[in-house]
Amino acid sequence: MCLSHASLSSLHSENALFGMGNPLLDISAVVDKDFLDKYGLKPNDQILAEDKHKAMFDEIAKKSKVEYHAGGSTQNSVKIAQWMIQTPHKVATFFGCIGTDHFGEILKQKAEEAHVDARYYQQTQEPTGTCAACITGDNRSLVANLAAANCYNKEKHLDLDGNWELVEKAKVYYIAGFFLTVSPESILKVAKHASENNKIFSLNLSAPFISQFFKEAMMKVMPYVDILFGNETEAATFAKEQGFEETDDIAEIARRAQSLPKVNKKRQRVVVFTQGKDDTVATIGEKVTMFSVLDIDQNDIVDTNGAGDAFVGGFLSELVQERTLEECIRAGHYAANVIIRRAGCTFPEKPDFP
């Protein structure tokens, strides 16, 4: 599990962690019922934007107390990893596509404030991707417009020498499954590099629809995956799509996922499945082990949307420092516990992680 032979100082250095995915500018504001009705939104929901929602992003940005954060699943995770590490800055690199617009400039600024080394591919065809969080009371209606995030171009960004050098500099790689819908060829290039150089490549199942409708792309990458993340719902769908017999036993699904074909035999695949408030399941060697999450009073839970991204971020922050799997999971549980007490994927100035 540990990274081999490299000194801790070189691991815990700039650009040691590499993430690539769909960058979204999270825009959150308190709205009223009329606003929800106007755009046909349910108070508590997550949807992809349709044409009727396009004007909504500018309207919500004009609200008096609007908040902006660098978002999107992978960017959230590397941002949290960087927060957990604190110094040096820019341990985390992030690649993704944005537009040449006002929201893109805000996104760049927010990534910089989070001390992430974000190297965005900017294009003019599509506006920067956004995710609006329309807050009414304790409810949040999320509307995502991927827009530019869908336009990532391997030849025009990943393959450029200056960018590829950053990929080569990294020791640990993380990509959410969502990016399989955008640039599977980019994921494969990075995954093969990691495998050929005995570095750690990790992937997240991300959502049930990825295992269902992007199965072919996912299974082309799977032989290069050293760490597979997911939650219990995603794990069950993955098992069903893969034809595993035991699709209701999460430990068995983890075992079966671990034993799928793998190119780099120097590293045994690790599978980590979270289950909300229930134990996290992880494969260690030939065993499947359960890790209990931190207790939390239900009244302290504000928003569980960022919990999965936060868990991965905490996990990666320890992994990049050569810590054991147990320590990585403990950090994941800590980060998720912090994030669910706050609205959106936000965090206090410093972690209090022993």
Side-chain angles (χ1 to χ4, degrees):
M1 179 64 203
C2 283
L3 297 164
S4 58
H5 309 306
S7 72
L8 196 59
S9 59
S10 70
L11 288 162
H12 199 179
S13 58
E14 282 192 13
N15 310 110
L17 172 64
F18 176 86
M20 182 165 60
N22 299 335
L24 301 177
L25 179 67
D26 286 343
I27 310 171
S28 60
V30 173
V31 300
D32 54 21
K33 189 178 179 300
D34 290 346
F35 185 93
L36 295 182
D37 292 345
K38 178 178 176 181
Y39 292 106
L41 303 174
K42 294 175 189 160
N44 222 353
D45 205 6
Q46 296 186 56
I47 62 166
L48 285 174
E50 297 168 40
D51 283 342
K52 67 178 179 182
H53 300 119
K54 293 293 194 286
M56 188 196 76
F57 293 93
D58 285 327
E59 187 176 338
I60 196 169
K62 291 188 176 81
K63 296 278 176 195
S64 59
K65 288 184 178 170
V66 64
E67 281 192 17
Y68 295 106
H69 296 282
S73 184
T74 305
Q75 189 164 232
N76 277 341
S77 292
V78 299
K79 187 173 82 169
I80 284 166
Q82 179 65 57
W83 169 71
M84 288 281 287
I85 290 166
Q86 288 286 306
T87 53
H89 292 166
K90 297 188 174 179
V91 170
T93 313
F94 178 77
F95 285 7
C97 182
I98 64 173
T100 45
D101 52 13
H102 177 58
F103 283 162
E105 290 308 308
I106 297 175
L107 190 50
K108 281 191 206 169
Q109 181 197 329
K110 290 294 169 188
E112 198 171 311
E113 284 170 15
H115 307 303
V116 170
D117 193 3
R119 307 291 180 107
Y120 298 119
Y121 166 55
Q122 286 189 271
Q123 47 69 62
T124 52
Q125 271 73 42
E126 286 282 338
T128 296
T130 42
C131 182
C134 310
I135 302 164
T136 49
D138 289 339
N139 293 315
R140 293 171 91 242
S141 191
L142 300 178
V143 187
N145 181 26
L146 292 178
N150 273 324
C151 304
Y152 189 80
N153 186 305
K154 175 177 168 288
E155 289 74 25
K156 291 182 180 171
H157 194 261
L158 184 68
D159 293 346
L160 301 182
D161 289 348
N163 292 332
W164 186 250
E165 277 168 18
L166 287 170
V167 176
E168 292 178 323
K169 208 173 161 186
K171 300 285 189 291
V172 174
Y173 303 83
Y174 172 68
I175 299 175
F178 291 123
F179 201 58
L180 286 162
T181 72
V182 175
S183 187
E185 62 282 1
S186 295
I187 301 177
L188 262 179
K189 184 174 182 183
V190 170
K192 284 178 177 173
H193 166 80
S195 181
E196 285 159 9
N197 293 277
N198 196 29
K199 298 178 187 178
I200 297 178
F201 179 82
S202 53
L203 182 78
N204 202 315
L205 294 175
S206 289
F209 81 87
I210 302 287
S211 291
Q212 289 169 301
F213 305 116
F214 295 89
K215 191 192 317 191
E216 191 183 346
M218 179 185 275
M219 296 321 287
K220 275 188 184 156
V221 176
M222 197 59 71
Y224 304 100
V225 175
D226 296 301
I227 304 175
L228 181 67
F229 294 103
N231 66 23
E232 73 278 35
T233 318
E234 294 150 9
T237 305
F238 178 74
K240 190 164 160 243
E241 291 297 325
Q242 292 302 313
F244 296 175
E245 296 91 31
E246 297 288 331
T247 55
D248 54 355
D249 177 352
I250 193 151
E252 186 55 32
I253 296 170
R255 199 176 281 115
R256 292 288 300 270
Q258 182 191 41
S259 61
L260 289 166
K262 192 167 186 302
V263 174
N264 179 11
K265 303 283 191 263
K266 292 176 190 162
R267 293 186 186 280
Q268 186 172 28
R269 181 179 294 120
V270 172
V271 179
V272 184
F273 290 148
T274 56
Q275 307 186 84
K277 65 182 188 313
D278 295 325
D279 290 359
T280 294
V281 178
T283 61
I284 304 184
E286 304 309 315
K287 295 205 309 273
V288 177
T289 308
M290 308 297 237
F291 296 86
S292 53
V293 302
L294 295 166
D295 286 336
I296 186 168
D297 187 316
Q298 286 302 112
N299 297 325
D300 291 334
I301 298 176
V302 175
D303 179 4
T304 59
N305 276 309
D309 293 340
F311 172 83
V312 172
F315 187 105
L316 294 171
S317 72
E318 293 289 286
L319 182 65
V320 88
Q321 298 177 72
E322 276 196 308
R323 306 279 202 259
T324 63
L325 182 67
E326 289 83 351
E327 288 172 297
C328 293
I329 289 171
R330 198 167 70 86
H333 286 163
Y334 167 78
N337 187 275
V338 169
I339 262 67
I340 61 178
R341 296 168 189 268
R342 305 164 70 93
C345 201
T346 61
F347 35 77
E349 189 188 343
K350 289 192 170 162
D352 179 22
F353 181 66

